[in-house]
Amino acid sequence: MDRLSGLPKTILHDILARLSDKDAAKTIALSKAWRDTWYSFPNLSVCSGDFFTIHDIVPGSSHRFSKMHILFDYVTKRLLRLRDQGLAIKELKLSLTNLLNPTRGSHHVDQWIQMASENGVKVLELHLTGGCIGRDYSQDNWYDLPLCVIEAKSLAKLELAGGIRIDQEFLNHSMKFSSVKSLFLSQVLFTHERIIEHLISHCTLIEHLTMNYCSVYNHLSTEDPLVQRSHRVKSLFLNGLQKLKDVDV
């Protein structure tokens, strides 16, 4: 056994954390000790570009579903292994391109977020591109953030970017975001104007707030075209956030 393999798991995990997810995964070929370390590594960072390109998922591509399913199976098995071992999922970072709609992978992402939220996740990052086509609110081109995310009691950093929609159902629940210190929102659609302040008001320890190109959708509007039924977020009520250090809106 090499000297590194004999180090405590916490140190080996720290080594893996300094590598890209792709390089960290290669360590399983080094030894059984490194394989066990990888399977207990609590950080999962996945970029769909490491599994397939945009050309692989266009209609008619022979690799369209096989490569997508490789990604789905990989993430699901990693998270299930951690959960079944009773280990925390500390970080879940997902960067997904042209992947999420009802016929593709949105239900998989729902499942991943739920497992992470129930297993002590501290960092949750979800970056989507290609999921929302323009600003067409009449079609299911947005990914609906699952309600289970409010159960992430240990969450310290929440980052949402891309065509993500937060439904007004969130208004009916108290969010358990008392540990959140960093909140980043970009190209997020709120279906009710009160959701934004409801979300922020539950982040009592928040220190860093970033909100770019977020919109509120008015269901009651009869404007045509549909794109005119939304408006950019123009103001925020930030009273009572005593830990707040910087805001970028």
Side-chain angles (χ1 to χ4, degrees):
M1 179 184 293
D2 62 273
R3 291 184 178 181
L4 283 179
S5 298
L7 292 172
K9 279 282 176 59
T10 53
I11 295 179
L12 295 179
H13 284 163
D14 186 61
I15 294 173
L16 292 181
R18 298 169 189 272
L19 302 175
S20 68
D21 196 67
K22 198 171 184 179
D23 289 336
K26 295 177 181 178
T27 60
I28 64 174
L30 297 178
S31 67
K32 182 179 183 300
W34 277 105
R35 188 183 308 114
D36 293 340
T37 299
W38 170 247
Y39 286 144
S40 61
F41 186 48
N43 300 352
L44 179 57
S45 178
V46 175
C47 176
S48 60
D50 292 334
F51 291 81
F52 51 77
T53 67
I54 181 62
H55 303 291
D56 294 321
I57 59 175
V58 295
S61 171
S62 59
H63 301 294
R64 183 183 183 192
F65 294 108
S66 60
K67 291 195 174 183
M68 286 169 53
H69 288 149
I70 290 174
L71 168 61
F72 298 151
D73 289 344
Y74 169 75
V75 178
T76 300
K77 288 179 179 178
R78 279 284 309 277
L79 294 176
L80 284 174
R81 186 183 292 272
L82 289 170
R83 189 191 68 177
D84 293 345
Q85 293 182 89
L87 300 174
I89 301 170
K90 292 184 179 180
E91 296 186 6
L92 178 60
K93 300 178 181 181
L94 302 172
S95 178
L96 308 175
T97 302
N98 290 291
L99 196 62
L100 302 184
N101 66 36
T103 61
R104 292 183 189 166
S106 59
H107 63 286
H108 290 284
V109 178
D110 288 351
Q111 181 187 26
W112 301 339
I113 292 177
Q114 181 170 357
M115 283 192 284
S117 298
E118 294 174 348
N119 288 272
V121 67
K122 293 184 178 181
V123 176
L124 178 59
E125 297 181 8
L126 180 59
H127 290 243
L128 308 181
T129 56
C132 175
I133 302 173
R135 296 174 68 197
D136 185 358
Y137 304 122
S138 64
Q139 299 182 18
D140 290 327
N141 293 319
W142 294 81
Y143 170 69
D144 289 306
L145 188 69
L147 197 59
C148 63
V149 74
I150 67 175
E151 297 296 329
K153 301 178 183 179
S154 303
L155 195 62
K157 179 181 180 181
L158 177 61
E159 194 165 307
L160 304 174
I164 299 172
R165 178 169 53 199
I166 301 181
D167 191 74
Q168 62 185 26
E169 177 66 19
F170 278 77
L171 289 171
N172 301 324
H173 299 271
S174 177
M175 301 180 185
K176 300 174 182 178
F177 286 169
S178 58
S179 298
V180 172
K181 294 184 178 181
S182 178
L183 179 63
F184 178 96
L185 304 171
S186 178
Q187 293 182 301
V188 173
L189 174 67
F190 300 94
T191 61
H192 194 287
E193 59 185 7
R194 286 181 49 222
I195 299 175
I196 311 165
E197 292 175 2
H198 182 71
L199 171 62
I200 295 175
S201 67
H202 284 81
C203 302
T204 54
L205 296 181
I206 190 169
E207 298 178 358
H208 311 284
L209 172 63
T210 301
M211 183 179 291
N212 298 321
Y213 306 108
C214 294
S215 302
V216 176
Y217 178 48
N218 184 1
H219 290 278
L220 300 179
S221 174
T222 58
E223 293 288 340
D224 191 35
L226 287 171
V227 69
Q228 297 178 5
R229 298 187 186 182
S230 71
H231 59 83
R232 296 293 190 197
V233 176
K234 297 180 180 179
S235 63
L236 290 173
F237 181 75
L238 302 177
N239 190 38
L241 301 177
Q242 299 179 3
K243 301 291 185 179
L244 196 59
K245 294 180 179 179
D246 58 78
V247 178
D248 179 12
V249 178

